[in-house]
């Protein structure tokens, strides 16, 4: 996806360490740090968009709310400053873990999905939520 081998490896290790213990059944850790997708709802952190409910289902109204409240320059995209404003508005008090996770999630998305004019479009963000962004980026990278 064009991010470099070391950055990709670091991100993969960090993601798996962070999510594995939350999604694995039972209390016994695994040194392979697997992520159990059917339990991904247990890995939802605070201070984020709320676009997924507590059961891990996508909530279109909350997704649209992001743009209604924070897309000031263009109704269908976010600038970096609008992303920062959005994250600040969604902070839960003293939820430092959630703040850090939300920042890393959205900063990574912004870096990966921004257009040449430094905007993050609604369709790119929607592609993250429906799971198609990585396929799109892999096709783009393969065609280069």
């Amino acid at each position: 996806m064009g991010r470099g081998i070391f950055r990709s490896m670091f991100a993969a290790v960090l993601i798996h360490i962070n999510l594995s213990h939350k999604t694995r059944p039972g209390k016994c850790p695994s040194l392979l740090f697997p992520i159990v997708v059917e339990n991904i709802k247990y890995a939802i952190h605070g201070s984020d968009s709320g676009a997924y409910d507590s059961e891990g289902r996508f909530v279109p109204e909350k997704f649209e709310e992001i743009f209604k409240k924070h897309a000031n320059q263009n109704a269908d995209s976010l600038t970096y400053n609008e992303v920062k404003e959005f994250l600040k508005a969604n902070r839960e008090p003293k939820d430092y873990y959630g703040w850090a996770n939300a920042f890393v999630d959205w900063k990574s998305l912004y870096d990966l999905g921004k257009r040449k004019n430094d905007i993050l479009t609604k369709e790119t963000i929607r592609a993250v939520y429906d799971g198609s962004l990585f396929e799109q980026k892999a096709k783009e990278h393969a065609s280069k």
Side-chain angles (χ1 to χ4, degrees):
M1 295 181 61
R3 297 291 164 225
I5 189 78
F6 295 110
R7 185 174 174 185
S8 298
M9 287 175 55
F10 178 74
V13 169
L14 190 65
I15 289 166
H16 279 264
I17 288 172
N18 197 20
L19 298 181
S20 179
H21 73 280
K22 294 177 182 178
T23 62
R24 281 186 40 80
K27 296 185 187 232
C28 186
S30 170
L31 294 179
L32 298 176
F33 299 107
I35 297 171
V36 181
V37 176
E38 55 265 10
N39 293 337
I40 201 70
K41 65 184 176 188
Y42 301 124
I44 294 173
H45 58 78
S47 300
D48 207 350
S49 67
Y52 290 114
D53 68 12
S54 62
E55 293 298 312
R57 295 177 297 240
F58 180 69
V59 182
E61 298 82 21
K62 293 297 260 180
F63 175 75
E64 292 297 329
E65 191 177 294
I66 295 168
F67 296 92
K68 287 178 188 164
K69 287 184 176 180
H70 304 285
N72 301 318
Q73 290 186 5
N74 183 332
D76 291 331
S77 64
L78 296 172
T79 64
Y80 183 68
N81 286 335
E82 290 169 343
V83 170
K84 287 190 331 186
E85 172 194 310
F86 156 67
L87 291 172
K88 197 172 195 177
N90 283 350
R91 286 182 180 169
E92 295 174 10
K94 298 187 182 199
D95 177 27
Y96 306 114
Y97 178 79
W99 297 0
N101 275 287
F103 176 77
V104 169
D105 293 348
W106 282 87
K107 174 73 169 126
S108 299
L109 171 57
Y110 185 82
D111 289 345
L112 183 65
K114 71 181 176 184
R115 296 278 166 92
K116 300 255 189 266
N117 54 356
D118 288 337
I119 62 164
L120 186 59
T121 64
K122 186 185 243 184
E123 61 259 10
T124 300
I125 298 170
R126 169 75 94 170
V128 168
Y129 285 115
D130 70 20
S132 65
L133 180 66
F134 299 107
E135 290 175 21
Q136 292 173 15
K137 289 293 180 180
K139 286 178 187 173
E140 282 177 26
H141 190 66
S143 69
K144 290 181 180 177

